[in-house]
Every structure is written in structure tokens, then in C-alpha cells.
Amino acid sequence: MHFYSTRDPNRCPVPFREALLSGLAPDGGLYLPERVPRAEAAWREAQTLAALALPVLGPWLGGELGAAQLRAVAEDALTFPVPLRALGDGVYVLELFHGPTLSFKDVGARTMARLMNAFLAGRGERVTILVATSGDTGSAVADGFAGLGNLRVVLLYPKGKVSAVQERQLVHPRPGVRALAVAGDFDDCQRLVKAAFVDPELRALGLSSANSINLGRLLPQMLYYFWAVLSLASRYGETTPPVFCVPSGNLGNLTAGVLAAEMGLGVGRFVAAHNANDFFPGYLQLLYDPSAFKRTVATLSNAMDVGAPSNFERLHALLGEGARERIWGTSVSDAATLERLRATYEAYGYVACPHTAVGLEAAARYRAASGDERPVIVLATAHPAKFVDTVEGALGVALPKVPALEALQGPDAQAPVIAPQLGALRRALLSPF
Ligand SMILES: *Cc1c(COP(=O)(O)O)cnc(C)c1O
């Protein structure tokens, strides 16, 4: 199995290990395989999410990791349930938020961390993961990589620009993880990360990234698409290929779904559910060309506030113009998000997070526009308790306390504040922790 960069006309292939440990190709492109492998038929027999790793991820690794090692990686990473719930009227939610940091990002981050650790352990190497974060990614990466011997994590977040819950999740003490509060905004954090990657003085640290362009995070997300189709049949006796509706920002989640379909999973259609950051739905509707990336707009579903989706390049390389047949897209305003949050609670007694509400609204629009009556599975990407103010405000009810968040209460840990300059980051990275 080999991978090449979306930008490399010569298609110089690298093995999985290199794609995993470097994240981005040297030319700035994203890694894709020479061709998407088929899932092994045994996936239909899987009884757990982790048991899907061998038939679904195995073919991508091409033997670079043994079957026993891959199974151990998945079993250690995927320790939480992923229930499929029927809301009614053929609409289902796949709850991906029962992991330690309460968002679907736990699936990719935890699996990627253990894959990296398994590859590094064989060679006695160490790597430092450097991540700029404005929300869910940072805590999922911090939790996912904590305590793994061959990896350390440094998180950069913009001081005063993340929510109180998010900051508590980020600075929560974990072995091998250090959070740094940058006196600047998210763009400063991203600029510092880019500068650090090319800084000769930091080369010895073996810096790597953990964002959603890394195949190590993307590919494990395919597992829950397979799991959803299995659950639909076993729990609800429904064998029609479902429509998957995906609340989207960087398009990592959606790209994973498309890859699952390319592996042979029966999928009716994909719906890309975006907030006011509408580049991708606009592209699908022929309003924008591929280079028409936009500035980011702040919304209630802030984990999807992305003007220039980083996985678009990969999706475009995979599907080209065919994307417009396979994927239907829409952009949902904050007002429509709140309305759908309330309507879902009133109709089904179900409490969704704002991101999931964008998905539920998009699913309703898709059905109305297309007349497609196949089952729709909306990916529920975060726990509503992570967005307690928005959700309680919209519904006028108090949400039950969630143990994973309660555990973070108490005297607030403080992250050291650094100036938004490479010199300050360099000093912090080179000091031991
Ligand atoms: C990251 C995130 C998304 C967007 O996922 P992408 O893979 O970036 O498209 C949606 N919802 C939540 C809660 C997230 O944390």
C-alpha cells in the first residue's frame, strides 16, 4: 500500500508509516492512496467498533503493522459506545460523543496516537506533536496522546478566545502534554506552528502535527460509518443504504465517509451540513470555484467555523466533479440552528448540540428538496453539555451534569502565557516537561 501527495504529478509514493508520521506531504499536499482498497468481507461480522479495525483499516496498512498490533491499537483507543438512536420518521442520530472529551474527534485522535506510538516504539524514536487549537481538536489530541511513551504534545491556544469549558479541558494536567496560552488570536497560533515546523533549531525535536489532514486521524473515522450501517440492520432491521448527513467544517468527517463508501460500504447519498461558512455548499451548487475560499465567520457551531476547509483538496482529488452527484450540501444560519434545536426537542424529546442541530436541519432540507425517503443518519458530533449556554438558552431547560466535565471543575489550572513570537515558542519547546 502506498500513498502519494495530491500535488505531486510524479506520484512519488511513500509507505503508510511516513504518511502517518509526517502528516502533510513535503510539497504541502495531502496524502491519498494509489487506489482505495476494498474492505474485507469480515466487516459484516463485527460486534464492536474496535473489531472493524482489522477488516477496514487493515487493507490500508499493507502489513506495516501486524494484525495483533492493529487490534490492540483499536481496542485501547475505542473504549466508548457509539449508539445509533432512532428519532422517528426514518431519522437516526449516530452519537459519536461518548469519548473522554465528548466530541467525535476522540475517535480519530485516540486511534492516531496509538498508531503513531506503535510505529515509533519499534524504533525507539520520540516525536513532539505541535497543535494550534481553538476548541475540540486540542482537548481530543491532548487526551488521545497523553501518557504514550514515545510522544509528547504541545497545544497552542489563543488566550481569552476559547470558552471556559474548552480552556479547562485544554489545561487539565496530563502526562506528556503541555498547553501554552498565546497572547494573540488563532491565526497567530497557526502561524507559530508553521514557523516552528521549518525552524532549524527545532529540527531535533521531530515535530509532527495531528490535525485532520493526517490520514492517521482520518481513516479511523471510517469505522463508525461501517458501524452505523451494521447498527441500522441489527437494531432496526433496516437494510436500505442510508443517507449520511455530516456536520462539516474542515471536511475530514465527510471525507472519511466518502472513503468508506469507496471501500464498498453501501451509502445512499451524503449531505454536507455547514453553518454560515458556506464555501463547500456553494461549490456543490456551482456558485464558487475551488479556489474561492472565504474568510471564517463566527457562529454558534464554532467547531465548524472554517472558511477554507483543509480536506477539500483531498475530496476534490478523490471525486472531482463527481462530488456534486454524491454529495448534497446546504448552509444553515444560527437562527435556523436554534429553531431546529427546539423543534427536535419538542418533536422527539432529544437534546442536540448546535453542530448536530445544523445536521438535523440539513437532513430535513435534503428530504424536502429531494423527496428521498431512505433512512437518514445524522452524525451527532458533540455532546450538548459542551455547549451548555447555547443549548440551555434555546430550550429553556437545565441540562443534566456530565461526569467527564464535572471532573474538570475545581481550582483552575493555568497555562503559561507566551508572546506570539517564534522565539518564545522555541524557548517553551526546548525546556523539559
Ligand atoms: C471538528 C468538528 C466538526 C467538523 O468536523 P470536520 O471533520 O472538520 O468537518 C463538527 N462538529 C464538531 C462538534 C467538531 O468538533
Side-chain angles (χ1 to χ4, degrees), residues 39-60 70-71 74-75 78 219-220 222-231 263 265:
E40 289 166 17
W43 75 265
R44 294 180 188 279
E45 264 53 74
Q47 302 289 323
T48 61
L49 186 66
L52 283 162
L54 226 46
V56 175
L57 292 183
W60 294 81
L70 178 56
R71 198 177 303 123
E75 281 171 3
L78 306 173
L219 298 181
M222 292 188 301
L223 300 183
Y224 49 71
Y225 286 89
F226 284 87
W227 180 246
V229 168
L230 286 177
S231 304
M263 289 193 82
L265 180 69

Side-chain angles (χ1 to χ4, degrees), residues 154-210:
V154 176
L155 304 166
L156 304 183
Y157 71 93
K159 181 73 189 158
K161 300 205 168 59
V162 301
S163 79
V165 174
Q166 286 173 328
E167 184 159 25
R168 242 178 273 130
Q169 282 188 310
L170 289 172
V171 305
H172 182 68
R174 299 172 172 95
V177 179
R178 171 183 282 182
L180 299 172
V182 174
D185 60 18
F186 180 60
D187 292 334
D188 289 316
C189 297
Q190 284 199 301
R191 183 176 47 76
L192 283 179
V193 167
K194 284 192 185 136
F197 277 123
V198 295
D199 184 30
E201 291 187 44
L202 294 175
R203 187 153 300 147
L205 287 178
L207 288 179
S208 187
S209 76

Side-chain angles (χ1 to χ4, degrees), residues 103-105 136 212 247-253 303-304 355 381-382:
S103 91
F104 80 94
K105 291 194 171 72
D136 290 342
S212 70
S248 293
N250 268 319
L251 294 171
N253 212 353
M304 311 188 332
H355 309 76
T381 50

Side-chain angles (χ1 to χ4, degrees), residues 29-296:
L30 278 61
Y31 283 116
L32 273 177
E34 288 162 309
R35 85 195 135 68
V36 174
R38 303 291 291 182
E40 289 166 17
W43 75 265
R44 294 180 188 279
E45 264 53 74
Q47 302 289 323
T48 61
L49 186 66
L52 283 162
L54 226 46
V56 175
L57 292 183
W60 294 81
L61 296 180
E64 288 182 62
L65 207 61
Q69 268 178 304
L70 178 56
R71 198 177 303 123
V73 161
E75 281 171 3
D76 195 40
L78 306 173
T79 50
F80 43 91
V82 178
L84 181 72
R85 292 192 198 288
L87 292 188
D89 311 315
V91 178
Y92 300 80
V93 285
L94 184 70
E95 292 188 347
L96 298 168
F97 54 70
H98 296 288
T101 72
L102 307 181
S103 91
F104 80 94
K105 291 194 171 72
D106 284 328
V107 173
R110 289 175 64 84
T111 312
M112 172 179 168
R114 283 154 186 80
L115 280 173
M116 279 188 161
N117 204 46
F119 277 105
L120 292 169
R123 303 203 176 188
E125 290 170 36
R126 288 189 90 205
V127 160
T128 299
I129 304 289
L130 183 61
V131 186
T133 178
S134 57
D136 290 342
T137 298
S139 53
V141 168
D143 169 83
F145 284 77
L148 298 177
N150 303 293
L151 293 149
R152 317 186 299 168
V153 177
V154 176
L155 304 166
L156 304 183
Y157 71 93
K159 181 73 189 158
K161 300 205 168 59
V162 301
S163 79
V165 174
Q166 286 173 328
E167 184 159 25
R168 242 178 273 130
Q169 282 188 310
L170 289 172
V171 305
H172 182 68
R174 299 172 172 95
V177 179
R178 171 183 282 182
L180 299 172
V182 174
D185 60 18
F186 180 60
D187 292 334
D188 289 316
C189 297
Q190 284 199 301
R191 183 176 47 76
L192 283 179
V193 167
K194 284 192 185 136
F197 277 123
V198 295
D199 184 30
E201 291 187 44
L202 294 175
R203 187 153 300 147
L205 287 178
L207 288 179
S208 187
S209 76
N211 53 28
S212 70
I213 51 154
N214 193 308
L215 282 176
R217 245 181 82 184
L218 195 68
L219 298 181
Q221 292 178 193
M222 292 188 301
L223 300 183
Y224 49 71
Y225 286 89
F226 284 87
W227 180 246
V229 168
L230 286 177
S231 304
L232 195 61
S234 67
R235 294 196 53 184
Y236 302 104
E238 180 61 78
T239 52
T240 313
V243 174
F244 277 102
C245 179
V246 188
S248 293
N250 268 319
L251 294 171
N253 212 353
L254 185 69
T255 303
V258 167
L259 289 172
E262 298 282 297
M263 289 193 82
L265 180 69
V267 174
R269 193 94 185 261
F270 289 99
V271 174
H274 288 256
N275 60 25
N277 293 281
D278 68 347
F279 162 73
F280 190 58
Y283 163 80
L284 293 174
Q285 287 150 34
L286 294 167
L287 297 175
Y288 307 141
D289 71 49
S291 61
F293 281 170
K294 316 241 291 189
R295 291 197 52 173
T296 302

